[in-house]
Amino acid sequence: MGPIGEDELFFLMQGLKWTVLLAIVGFIGGGIFGILIALLRTSKKKVTRTITAGYIGIFQGTPLLMQLFVVYYGVALLGVEVNAWIAVAIAFTLHASAFLGEIWRGSIEAVPKGQTEAANALGLHYGSRMKDVILPQALKISLPATIGFLVQLIKGTSLAALVGFIELTRVGQIISNQTYRPLLVFGIVGAIYFIICWPLSHVGSGLEKRMAKAAR
């Protein structure tokens, strides 16, 4: 069995860097499309509500791993060559947009209807009504669930290893194969995930409790 030294730890930090970058890209990209989906999902037009509901249903009803495979191999079938980084970034963005869109849709609908009626009484058009009145309140309502999804997204990046993307889990596999110390290596990998995810979960749980007290 080989030792785990500075080189292996540096390699793990490199893997961590790509894990964090993938989560950030997926979350920001998913957030941009997610807010659009949430707005379409709460639209008065039935056709837009139906289309976005179907989009959300597809991504919520299928495993993230399958979505990664479909994007990675599906794009190649179209004759377009993309590297693993681009493919997993697209897959995670689409995945996050569906979940965040549904979270924010529920938050928009949770805003008291009196707020919308008051905005209408003031003569605010749709854009101003959403930007200045509804969305700020919806964002506050959605924070615990949004943070919870971010934690799941970070942990989900480990699946990207299965399509050749070298992130934290994949680096752990490589080092384990080289050192023959899987328990130690994946113990370190698990500890790194915990150090990232537990504080976020704690913040989300704290916000949820605080909001529950304020609602009483």
Side-chain angles (χ1 to χ4, degrees):
M1 293 189 294
I4 295 178
E6 291 183 3
D7 290 342
E8 286 75 21
L9 292 175
F10 178 76
F11 195 19
L12 282 171
M13 291 303 101
Q14 289 295 105
L16 174 61
K17 178 186 73 174
W18 290 111
T19 288
V20 172
L21 282 174
L22 178 57
I24 290 173
V25 168
F27 188 75
I28 293 177
I32 293 170
F33 289 105
I35 191 65
L36 177 61
I37 290 168
L39 292 174
L40 292 175
R41 189 78 177 84
T42 55
S43 169
K44 293 181 179 179
K45 296 181 180 180
K46 185 177 180 180
V47 63
T48 58
R49 295 199 308 271
T50 302
I51 291 172
T52 49
Y55 176 87
I56 291 168
I58 289 171
F59 284 94
Q60 288 191 340
T62 56
L64 174 56
L65 179 58
M66 191 206 77
Q67 295 163 22
L68 284 166
F69 282 149
V70 168
V71 173
Y72 185 69
Y73 295 110
V75 172
L77 287 175
L78 296 175
V80 180
E81 291 188 11
V82 294
N83 60 33
W85 164 246
I86 299 297
V88 298
I90 292 171
F92 273 83
T93 295
L94 294 174
H95 177 80
S97 69
F99 279 83
L100 290 174
E102 184 64 6
I103 289 170
W104 294 339
R105 187 274 310 166
S107 299
I108 289 171
E109 293 182 348
V111 174
K113 291 185 178 180
Q115 299 291 323
T116 301
E117 293 169 358
N120 288 334
L122 291 172
L124 296 178
H125 58 75
Y126 177 80
S128 295
R129 188 168 69 244
M130 295 303 295
K131 179 173 67 72
D132 299 324
V133 180
I134 305 301
L135 290 181
Q137 297 181 69
L139 177 62
K140 183 179 178 181
I141 293 170
S142 71
L143 270 177
T146 300
I147 293 172
F149 174 74
L150 175 58
V151 171
Q152 295 303 315
L153 191 68
I154 292 170
K155 292 188 287 187
T157 58
S158 62
L159 295 174
L162 297 175
V163 293
F165 183 70
I166 300 179
E167 42 64 68
L168 183 57
T169 299
R170 178 58 181 153
V171 168
Q173 291 174 339
I174 294 170
I175 294 174
S176 174
N177 292 337
Q178 291 175 343
T179 62
Y180 301 101
R181 292 190 172 186
L183 188 59
L184 176 58
V185 172
F186 285 106
I188 295 172
V189 169
I192 293 172
Y193 277 114
F194 179 81
I195 290 169
I196 297 172
C197 295
W198 185 82
L200 289 172
S201 297
H202 185 67
V203 170
S205 178
L207 286 171
E208 189 172 10
K209 290 177 181 176
R210 194 179 308 167
M211 290 171 63
K213 288 181 179 179
R216 290 176 185 173

